């Protein structure tokens, strides 16, 4: 999140607002996440339209199947976005200009990357592992009764470390790229808008646009989400392959399997349409919800 120049955001507000935004975003966009994961795991009969994938799942497996693993995703998103927003805000405060409260592009992206490592280690890899295993299991053996049962079963079969941290390397690389590009590009856009005459110069007769308002926040977040998806899709595809319920080996084994199945470009960018549909919406929803949640939590806590 990028705080305005007149009101600095405390770590507590960043934590609460980020968690609130993460939960809202995860619930609203989960069908796209489900469709993307299914395509990355199985190709889903060559269907590339996310709405058709969702429709086929509802028709064949019922509506509840579409939200398999959603509770894990929501919990993970609350924790992930709480951690990465507070980490990003804390890191950027160390490097920002004390007068304008802005960062250079390289500093914005670097701050996001560091926040990505923190969030991947603390919350993202474990919750992504369980979510992916649940989605895979819903298509195959259907033996997991709940996220906790899934965790207990995988721990017994594969050991605690692999049960929670399978795919850590690719997940962390994805989070470095995702958080770096998403928060970094969003921060760059907000800083540019703060300096831009189009948004701020009243003397030239240009109407002021509220850069913290929902419309601008959604547009900035959607653009940041698009950039993020295209740049980090290969990491996401390999991560999904490694984290399926049935063990497939390590990161290199998963990458080789993907290339053998579909080739380099088609394989590594498998599920891009589904993920793009989700991340464009997710980016808009996440940053809009975060901006509005920040205002609400400030009022609630009197800050």
């Amino acid at each position: 999140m990028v705080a305005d120049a007149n009101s600095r955001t405390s770590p507590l507000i960043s934590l609460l607002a980020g968690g609130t935004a993460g939960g809202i975003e995860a619930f609203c966009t989960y069908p796209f996440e489900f469709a993307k994961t299914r395509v990355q795991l199985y190709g889903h009969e060559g269907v590339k339209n996310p709405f058709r994938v969702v429709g086929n799942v509802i028709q064949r497996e019922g509506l509840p199947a579409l939200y398999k693993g959603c509770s894990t995703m929501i919990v993970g998103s609350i924790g992930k976005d709480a951690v990465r927003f507070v980490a990003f805000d804390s890191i950027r405060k160390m490097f920002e200009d004390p007068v304008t409260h802005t960062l250079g592009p390289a500093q914005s992206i670097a701050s996001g990357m560091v926040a990505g490592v923190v969030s991947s280690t603390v919350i993202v890899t474990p919750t992504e592992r369980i979510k992916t295993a649940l989605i895979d299991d819903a298509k195959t053996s259907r033996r997991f009764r709940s996220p906790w049962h899934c965790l207990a079963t995988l721990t017994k079969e594969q050991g605690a470390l692999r049960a929670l941290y399978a795919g850590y390397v690719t997940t962390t690389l994805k989070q470095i790229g995702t958080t770096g590009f998403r928060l970094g590009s969003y921060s760059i856009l907000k800083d540019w808008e703060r300096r831009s005459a189009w948004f701020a110069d009243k003397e030239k007769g240009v109407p002021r646009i509220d850069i913290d308002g929902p419309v601008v926040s959604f547009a900035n977040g959607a653009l940041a989400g698009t950039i993020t998806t295209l740049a980090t899709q290969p990491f996401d595809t390999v991560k999904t392959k490694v984290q399926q319920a049935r063990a497939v080996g390590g990161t290199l084994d998963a990458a080789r399997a993907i290339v053998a199945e579909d080739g380099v470009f088609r394989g590594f960018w498998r599920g891009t349409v589904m993920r793009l549909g989700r991340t464009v919406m997710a980016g808009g929803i996440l940053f809009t919800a975060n901006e509005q949640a920040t205002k609400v939590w400030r009022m609630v806590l009197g800050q």
Side-chain angles (χ1 to χ4, degrees):
M1 190 195 74
V2 182
D4 59 64
N6 297 319
S7 182
R8 311 308 298 138
T9 304
S10 70
L12 177 61
I13 295 294
S14 293
L15 188 72
L16 293 172
T20 302
I24 292 171
E25 176 267 317
F27 180 80
C28 291
T29 63
Y30 191 75
F32 283 105
E33 176 67 18
F34 183 96
K36 182 265 304 181
T37 303
R38 274 290 178 86
V39 168
Q40 288 178 329
L41 290 174
Y42 309 112
H44 220 280
E45 293 89 35
V47 178
K48 296 183 178 180
N49 186 320
F51 296 102
R52 283 188 60 193
V53 173
V54 169
N56 289 343
V57 170
I58 293 175
Q59 182 179 14
R60 299 172 186 173
E61 303 172 43
L63 182 61
L66 191 63
Y67 276 84
K68 190 76 171 180
C70 183
S71 60
T72 304
M73 182 74 171
I74 290 175
V75 171
S77 293
I78 291 172
K80 172 188 69 178
D81 288 309
V83 168
R84 71 180 179 182
F85 270 112
V86 73
F88 182 73
D89 279 346
S90 299
I91 293 165
R92 68 166 280 136
K93 285 176 184 176
M94 297 171 59
F95 301 108
E96 68 182 11
D97 185 293
V99 178
T100 63
H101 301 294
T102 60
L103 293 176
Q107 293 170 314
S108 292
I109 293 174
S111 298
M113 287 180 172
V114 175
V117 175
V118 175
S119 63
S120 176
T121 304
V122 174
I123 192 74
V124 176
T125 299
T127 55
E128 282 282 315
R129 164 62 164 154
I130 300 304
K131 178 217 69 175
T132 302
L134 285 168
I135 292 176
D136 181 29
D137 180 71
K139 175 75 172 179
T140 53
S141 60
R142 301 188 181 183
R143 60 187 180 135
F144 300 145
R145 298 190 296 271
S146 68
W148 290 112
H149 182 244
C150 173
L151 176 59
T153 303
L154 292 176
T155 298
K156 183 178 179 180
E157 295 175 351
Q158 303 174 12
L161 188 63
R162 180 165 180 80
L164 284 174
Y165 282 91
Y168 174 74
V169 173
T170 47
T171 302
T172 301
L173 289 172
K174 174 200 167 188
Q175 285 301 120
I176 289 172
T178 298
T179 310
F181 279 105
R182 177 177 281 184
L183 293 183
S185 58
Y186 185 84
S187 179
I188 290 168
L189 285 168
K190 291 296 291 289
D191 288 344
W192 173 79
E193 290 162 359
R194 188 168 289 113
R195 295 189 297 263
S196 173
W198 173 258
F199 288 89
D201 192 352
K202 295 181 180 180
E203 295 181 359
K204 294 184 178 180
V206 179
R208 180 178 175 80
I209 298 175
D210 181 9
I211 64 173
D212 293 321
V215 175
V216 175
S217 294
F218 190 94
N220 288 344
L223 179 56
T226 301
I227 296 170
T228 299
T229 298
L230 297 176
T232 64
Q233 185 64 21
F235 298 122
D236 188 71
T237 302
V238 175
K239 177 222 36 124
T240 298
K241 193 74 170 177
V242 173
Q243 291 180 330
Q244 68 185 81
R246 296 155 293 159
V248 296
T251 299
L252 293 179
D253 294 323
R256 280 193 286 264
I258 290 168
V259 173
E261 290 168 4
D262 283 328
V264 175
F265 183 79
R266 186 177 177 184
F268 286 136
W269 272 267
R270 182 190 294 171
T272 298
V273 175
M274 284 74 173
R275 186 169 173 235
L276 191 60
R278 176 179 179 262
T279 51
V280 169
M281 291 296 295
I285 293 170
L286 178 66
F287 287 106
T288 303
N290 186 72
E291 298 284 0
Q292 301 310 308
T294 297
K295 296 175 183 178
V296 171
W297 280 114
R298 278 176 175 162
M299 289 190 295
V300 170
L301 299 178
Q303 294 189 16

